Amino acid sequence: MNTPVTADSSRLSRRTLIAGASGAGLAGAVGAGLGSAQPAAAVPGPLLWRRPGPSGAPRVAGLHLQFGSDASREIVVSWHTTSSVSRPKVLLGTAAGGFGRQVAARTTTYRDAHSGTEVQIHHAAVRGLRPDTDYVYAAVHDGAQAELGTVRTAPRGRAPFTFTSFGDQGTPTLGRKNDAGVYVNDNLGSPFAGDTTAGVERIAPLFHLMNGDLCYANLATDRVRTWSDWFETNTRSARHRPWMPAPGNHENELGNGPIGYAAYQSYFDLPDSGAHDELRGLWYAFTAGSVRVISLANDDVALQDGGSSYVHGYSGGAQRRWLETELAAARADADIDWIVVCMHQVAISTADKFNGADLGVREQWLPLFDRYGVDLVVCGHEHHYERSHPIRGHQADDTRTPVPAATDTRTVDTTKGTVHMVIGGGGTSVPSNELLFPTPECRVIVEVGDIDPETGKRKPVYVHEDAPWSAVRDGRHPYGFAAFEVDPGSPGGDTSIHVTYYSVSGPYGALTAVDRFTLTRPRGRH
C-alpha cells in the first residue's frame, strides 16, 4: 500500500508517495525512494516475472526514460496512471542475464485544474549502472501486465555517440468535436507529430532533446488526455532512449501549480538542480561522454506573453545564478569538451509574422554563453529550421543584434562563437517555414504592452533588424529534426560534432538530409 510522505508540497498541487517494497529477499533489494536502490548482489539465476491474471488494475501507460545527472550511471523509468496502484517497480537486467535487480518506484501526483483528474506518475530511479552498457527492463505494478523497454547508458569520458533534437510537436490525435460534431485536433498537432518520432527511431540516438512545446496541453479541451496522447505517440522511442525536455510556453497550464508547470514537473523526473520545490525540474543539466547538456526554462526570462499565464521573472534570478555556476564548472572541467544548451524561446529568427526573437533571452543568456564559451544552442518556438553563424558579442543597438564571428557554413570553430539552431518542426499544424523574410532580417520583441482584449495577451512591441548572423534557413520543408554525431577525436587534436538536419515526410519517418555541417573545437582545451 502507498504511504503518503509527510512533507507538504501542496503549493505544486501534487503529493509524493513511496511505493512499499516487495520481494525483499530477491536479488537487488528494493529501495524505498529516489536514490536508495543499490546494485544487485550475485544470485544463482534471474528474477522471474509471472503474467498476472485480470484484476482491473490500470495498465502501465506512457512508459518513458530520463537520464540522471550522470547519464553513464543513472536512469529513471517512468509511467502514469489515473488511479492508485500497489507496489510499482522496475525489474532491470541484461538480455543475456535476465532481470537481476528490482527497484521500487516513487509516485508523484498532480490534479488537473480543468478536469479535476488526478494523475499519478511512477518514477523508478536506477543508479550504479555500468557506462556504455545495454540494459533491458520491465515496468509493472500489482495486477498489471509489465511493459518492456531497453536502454543504453552513456559512455563515460570521450567516446562517440549520437543525439537528436526537435521542438514543437503536438499530437497526431483528435481531441475535440467542432460545431459540426466532427472530431478535430485541438493541440496544434498534425499527422507529422507522429512521423517525426518515427524519424528519430530510424536514427536510434542515445538520447533525444525535446526543445519545448511538447504537446500543447494548455490549448486542449482535455489536458490530461493530451498529455497521455503525447506519451502514447512517443513511447515507441522514449521507452528505449531518454527524451530530455525543456519547458516551453505551452507547458504553462493555468491552475496547475503556482506558475502552471505542475503537470510537466510531475511527468518528468529530471536531474536535481537544487531549485526550490516549486521550480524543481524546470532547469537541469546532465553529462553524456564529453558533452554537458544544460536545459533552461526560458519563460523565466523571455518578454513574450505566450503561456496560459504571464510568469516572466518567476525565479527571481535563481535560474541565472544557477546557470552561471553550471557554465563555469563545465568549462573548467577538463573532461568536458562540449557545452550544449537546450531551450525553447529563441535569440534568432528570420520568420515574419510569427513569434520572433526575444530581447529578454538575448539580455539574460547570451552574455553568459559568450563568457563561458557555449558551443551549441538548440531551440524551438519558431516552427521551422534555421541556424546562425557562430555569434559572439552584439551591436550597440536597441535589439542587441548578435555579431557573427565567422561565416563558413560547412565547418564551424565554436571557440569563436555559439551556434544557435531553431529546430521547431516537430509536428505542429502551424509551421513557419513559409513565413521567412525574402532576405534575412529579424523581428525582435523588445517589450510588452497592455493586454490585448482580443487575445488576452500582453501586446508585443517589435523592432526590426538586419540579420548578419543568419547562416542557413529552410523555407521548403515544414517538419524535421537534427542529428548530432559526436566524434571525440584524438588526444592533442580536434573533437567534432557532425550535424545533419533531416526533413521528415510520411508515416514511416522517411528522411531527407537538408543541411549538413560540422562543429569543431580543440579537444580538452578550455
Side-chain angles (χ1 to χ4, degrees), residues 103-126:
V103 180
R106 175 182 61 91
T107 298
T108 295
T109 75
Y110 80 97
R111 186 176 297 278
D112 178 65
H114 277 185
S115 64
T117 301
E118 183 182 75
V119 183
Q120 300 193 9
I121 304 94
H122 316 287
H123 301 290
V126 186

Side-chain angles (χ1 to χ4, degrees), residues 208-230:
H208 177 69
L209 296 178
M210 181 66 208
N211 311 336
D213 283 4
L214 283 62
C215 64
Y216 296 82
N218 74 323
L219 303 178
T221 307
D222 187 336
R223 302 195 299 200
V224 171
R225 181 183 183 122
T226 301
W227 274 109
S228 178
D229 287 345
W230 187 80

Side-chain angles (χ1 to χ4, degrees), residues 394-407:
H394 61 86
Q395 297 180 19
D397 56 20
D398 291 342
T399 60
R400 299 172 69 102
T401 304
V403 175
T407 57

Side-chain angles (χ1 to χ4, degrees), residues 428-453:
T428 171
S429 61
V430 190
S432 56
N433 60 298
E434 295 184 355
L435 299 177
L436 301 179
F437 283 104
T439 57
E441 60 179 286
C442 181
R443 298 164 73 237
V444 184
I445 300 172
V446 296
E447 61 179 304
V448 291
D450 296 333
I451 294 177
D452 184 337

Side-chain angles (χ1 to χ4, degrees), residues 265-337:
Q265 291 170 281
S266 298
Y267 283 112
F268 297 100
D269 192 340
L270 299 164
D272 183 22
S273 66
H276 187 277
D277 188 57
E278 289 183 358
L279 308 177
R280 179 193 54 78
L282 295 179
W283 55 84
Y284 63 91
F286 67 95
T287 299
S290 60
V291 179
R292 186 67 169 168
V293 178
I294 299 173
S295 181
L296 299 178
N298 277 9
D299 269 333
D300 185 24
V301 301
L303 299 175
Q304 186 180 22
D305 185 356
S308 292
S309 59
Y310 192 59
V311 294
H312 174 76
Y314 62 76
S315 82
Q319 182 176 193
R320 191 179 196 280
R321 292 188 293 273
W322 172 85
L323 174 60
E324 181 155 22
T325 300
E326 179 63 42
L327 288 173
R331 198 41 87 201
D333 189 335
D335 294 324
I336 299 295
D337 291 325

Side-chain angles (χ1 to χ4, degrees), residues 3-146:
T3 304
V5 170
T6 57
D8 179 18
S9 59
S10 59
R11 286 177 296 180
L12 258 182
S13 301
R14 65 178 191 270
R15 69 184 186 274
T16 300
L17 310 171
I18 300 298
S22 66
L26 296 174
V30 176
L34 198 65
S36 62
Q38 299 297 323
V43 291
L47 293 178
L48 297 178
W49 170 77
R50 298 185 183 278
R51 182 184 299 275
S55 69
R59 71 184 184 91
V60 173
L63 187 62
H64 63 283
L65 296 166
Q66 301 108 110
F67 276 138
S69 59
D70 180 353
S72 72
R73 297 186 181 277
E74 304 168 358
I75 63 166
V76 180
V77 180
S78 303
W79 67 100
H80 58 259
T81 59
T82 53
S83 59
S84 295
V85 302
S86 179
R87 294 183 292 192
K89 57 183 175 290
V90 162
L91 308 179
L92 183 95
T94 64
F99 298 130
R101 183 173 175 184
Q102 186 175 194
V103 180
R106 175 182 61 91
T107 298
T108 295
T109 75
Y110 80 97
R111 186 176 297 278
D112 178 65
H114 277 185
S115 64
T117 301
E118 183 182 75
V119 183
Q120 300 193 9
I121 304 94
H122 316 287
H123 301 290
V126 186
R127 295 189 168 94
L129 299 173
R130 294 187 298 273
D132 205 20
T133 300
D134 289 311
Y135 289 92
V136 296
Y137 67 89
V140 68
H141 49 258
D142 282 0
Q145 180 172 321

